[in-house]
């Protein structure tokens, strides 16, 4: 691993950090991340696609003046039919893109728009050369450049549509009888122009993927406790507020288990802070195993205080889950010579379970759990109180 990525060792295992360390020079992630990235890129490029389709329609119709200036009737009428036909397709695709009611169609609509412009431009140029050899062919390159930079396509998509446009241009010019040496010269110019566009598109997508990985990793780190890997207090507050509203809508209960490591100061004093950190990591691992469902959450609130947020379970099951946690920590058999409660490391657990109602603040759940935890510690520790 290069030196500038050595810091990733401090945040692994993590799918974003792992992919950054592994690299993505072929512009491809592992399957789950690739799917997530494509969804992200699609959302991120919606506004770009909207601006591009309007701009493309304007430029496409602006070239109508070139047609009128350089081509005379009756051939001009054929060019106008092609140009207006492509414009109608652009308006149709543009309307769907602007409305954004079908996100999955964004890429196909973009490809259809670029493809129609490219094929239309190739046909117009080939027809125009039949009457005026000085009719500009560079419009084909403009379409390809738009595919690489202005539509938000991935490199493989931009390459495919640009290759199709170049192939159509060469075929139309050949059928139109353009001299071979001039056709060769035009194609070489267009190919090198596409090469420049492809390199630029590669770099843009590479940086887009890098930004995606780093931004997602920073989001994870911002919500994660660095010692245990559990969610932190900031993440917990946000999730509690969100689940409280969801539980209110769905009329289900929400349970909170507040956990405190018994006599942890004495543990640090006796075994040292490094051993204390390792003990907290072991406790965090136990709590993490108890929050495997999508809406559950294990949290390190700070110091030796932890919490487990459980969605859609009742008071009896919440108490049982708390007892299972207490027993699992005790079964770790971490010696605790400084404890007056047990010979091994233990936790006290306060359990609260509420069904959110209108006008009820979610802070109430935390207050009930905190009161139960206080009683568990006051009654001798290493126990669960509801």
């Amino acid at each position: 691993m290069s030196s500038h990525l050595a810091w990733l060792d401090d945040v692994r295992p993590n799918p974003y950090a792992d992919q950054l360390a592994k690299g993505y020079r072929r512009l491809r992630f592992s399957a789950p991340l690739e799917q997530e990235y494509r969804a992200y890129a699609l959302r991120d490029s919606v506004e770009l696609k909207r601006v591009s389709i309007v701009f493309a329609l304007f430029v496409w119709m602006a070239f109508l003046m070139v047609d009128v200036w350089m081509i005379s009737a009756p051939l001009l009428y054929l060019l106008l039919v092609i140009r207006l036909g492509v414009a109608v397709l652009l308006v149709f695709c543009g309307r769907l893109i602007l409305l954004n009611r079908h996100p999955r169609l964004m890429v196909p609509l973009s490809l259809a728009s670029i493809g129609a412009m490219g094929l239309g431009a190739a046909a117009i140029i080939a027809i125009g050369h039949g009457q005026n050899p000085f009719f500009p062919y560079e419009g084909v390159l403009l379409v390809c450049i738009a595919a690489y930079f202005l539509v938000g396509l991935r490199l493989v998509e931009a390459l495919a549509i640009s290759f199709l446009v170049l192939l159509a241009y060469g075929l139309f010019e050949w059928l139109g009888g353009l001299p071979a040496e001039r056709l060769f010269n035009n194609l070489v110019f267009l190919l090198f122009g596409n090469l420049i566009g492809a390199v630029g598109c590669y770099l843009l997508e590479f940086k887009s993927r890098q930004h995606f990985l780093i931004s997602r990793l920073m989001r994870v780190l911002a919500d994660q406790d660095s010692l245990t890997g559990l969610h932190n207090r900031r993440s917990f507050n946000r999730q509690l507020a969100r689940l409280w509203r969801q539980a209110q809508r769905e009329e289900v209960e929400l349970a909170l288990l507040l956990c405190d490591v018994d006599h942890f100061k004495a543990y640090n004093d006796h075994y040292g802070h490094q051993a204390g950190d390792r003990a907290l990591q072991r406790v965090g691992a136990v709590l993490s195993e108890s929050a495997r469902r999508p809406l559950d959450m294990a949290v390190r609130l700070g110091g030796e205080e932890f919490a487990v947020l459980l969605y859609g379970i009742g008071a009896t099951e919440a108490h049982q889950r708390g007892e299972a946690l207490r027993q699992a920590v005790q079964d770790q058999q971490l010696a605790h010579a400084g404890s007056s409660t047990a010979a091994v490391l233990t936790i006290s657990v306060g359990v609260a379970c509420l069904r959110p109602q209108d006008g009820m603040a979610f802070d109430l759940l935390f207050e009930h759990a905190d009161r139960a935890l206080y009683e568990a510690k006051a009654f001798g520790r290493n126990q669960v109180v509801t």
Side-chain angles (χ1 to χ4, degrees):
M1 185 189 303
S2 59
S3 59
H4 74 283
L5 292 178
W7 64 276
L8 294 174
D9 288 334
D10 298 331
V11 296
R12 298 166 73 183
N14 178 284
Y16 307 114
D18 292 342
Q19 188 66 66
L20 277 169
K22 182 180 178 182
Y24 40 92
R25 294 193 179 277
R26 296 184 178 181
L27 302 182
R28 187 79 183 183
F29 295 154
S30 59
L33 277 186
E34 183 67 22
Q35 185 177 5
E36 185 181 350
Y37 168 74
R38 292 191 185 186
Y40 154 83
L42 185 61
R43 292 191 302 270
D44 192 55
S45 65
V46 168
E47 194 60 34
L48 175 63
K49 293 181 189 299
R50 288 172 170 170
V51 173
S52 297
I53 195 68
V54 174
F55 180 71
L57 182 60
F58 171 78
V59 172
W60 179 257
M61 294 308 297
F63 270 89
L64 184 63
M65 294 184 293
V66 177
D67 301 341
V68 174
W69 177 42
M70 302 190 71
I71 304 297
S72 58
L75 199 59
L76 175 62
Y77 301 141
L78 178 58
L79 268 60
L80 294 179
V81 169
I82 296 174
R83 196 167 290 280
L84 291 177
V86 172
V88 170
L89 180 62
L90 289 178
V91 170
F92 175 76
C93 293
R95 183 174 183 276
L96 294 178
I97 290 174
L98 291 172
L99 293 176
N100 193 23
R101 292 177 181 173
H102 306 284
R104 291 185 179 180
L105 294 179
M106 280 293 186
V107 172
L109 289 171
S110 300
L111 291 173
S113 299
I114 288 291
M117 290 179 65
L119 296 177
I124 288 173
I125 292 167
I127 295 171
H129 280 162
Q131 184 181 104
N132 188 340
F134 298 104
F135 193 79
Y137 69 94
E138 292 82 2
V140 173
L141 182 58
L142 294 180
V143 174
C144 295
I145 292 299
Y148 290 122
F149 297 112
L150 298 183
V151 194
L153 298 177
R154 293 183 299 118
L155 176 61
V156 64
E157 297 164 344
L159 278 174
I161 199 67
S162 296
F163 176 78
L164 176 64
V165 170
L166 288 182
L167 188 63
Y169 169 75
L171 179 62
F172 291 161
E173 290 281 40
W174 177 71
L175 292 175
L178 189 71
E181 62 277 6
R182 188 176 175 194
L183 177 57
F184 176 79
N185 179 76
N186 290 357
L187 286 175
V188 168
F189 175 79
L190 293 174
L191 282 171
F192 276 98
N194 271 265
L195 179 61
I196 295 172
V199 172
C201 186
Y202 173 87
L203 295 175
L204 283 176
E205 185 174 342
F206 186 88
K207 286 298 182 181
S208 172
R209 288 175 178 270
Q210 183 183 64
H211 177 266
F212 164 77
L213 291 174
I214 292 177
S215 63
R216 289 297 192 273
L217 180 58
M218 292 300 102
R219 181 185 298 180
V220 169
L221 294 179
D223 291 340
Q224 188 179 71
D225 174 61
S226 60
L227 178 63
T228 63
L230 300 180
H231 292 274
N232 58 22
R233 184 66 177 259
R234 173 178 175 272
S235 178
F236 168 74
N237 289 338
R238 186 173 61 247
Q239 179 77 340
L240 176 57
R242 186 176 71 84
L243 288 185
W244 183 268
R245 293 191 297 269
Q246 183 171 336
Q248 186 174 349
R249 290 194 305 270
E250 298 178 357
E251 298 183 348
V252 299
E253 293 174 300
L254 194 60
L256 177 63
L257 282 57
L258 287 185
C259 311
D260 189 88
V261 179
D262 297 327
H263 308 292
F264 187 69
K265 183 179 183 304
Y267 189 94
N268 268 341
D269 292 342
H270 190 274
Y271 296 100
H273 288 282
Q274 288 187 336
D277 287 347
R278 289 192 294 270
L280 291 177
Q281 289 173 336
R282 297 279 292 274
V283 172
V286 171
L287 268 63
S288 180
E289 288 296 321
S290 70
R292 288 291 188 181
R293 297 184 307 167
L295 295 181
D296 293 345
M297 171 184 276
V299 188
R300 184 187 179 201
L301 296 175
E304 68 272 23
E305 298 179 356
F306 296 84
V308 178
L309 188 59
L310 301 172
Y311 186 81
I313 68 172
T316 301
E317 184 179 355
H319 186 93
Q320 292 171 350
R321 296 283 289 274
E323 180 58 35
L325 277 179
R326 185 203 64 77
Q327 188 63 50
V329 171
Q330 184 171 306
D331 290 346
Q332 294 286 307
Q333 294 294 304
L334 297 175
H336 191 349
S339 174
S340 58
T341 300
V344 296
L345 194 73
T346 59
I347 62 172
S348 299
V349 183
V351 179
C353 186
L354 291 174
R355 175 170 295 185
Q357 305 291 334
D358 291 337
M360 184 186 296
F362 63 83
D363 292 341
L364 192 62
L365 180 66
F366 194 92
E367 292 173 3
H368 285 191
D370 191 50
R371 189 179 305 116
L373 175 61
Y374 177 83
E375 294 178 3
K377 294 164 69 174
F379 293 159
R381 303 177 188 270
N382 191 26
Q383 58 184 284
V384 181
V385 172
T386 301

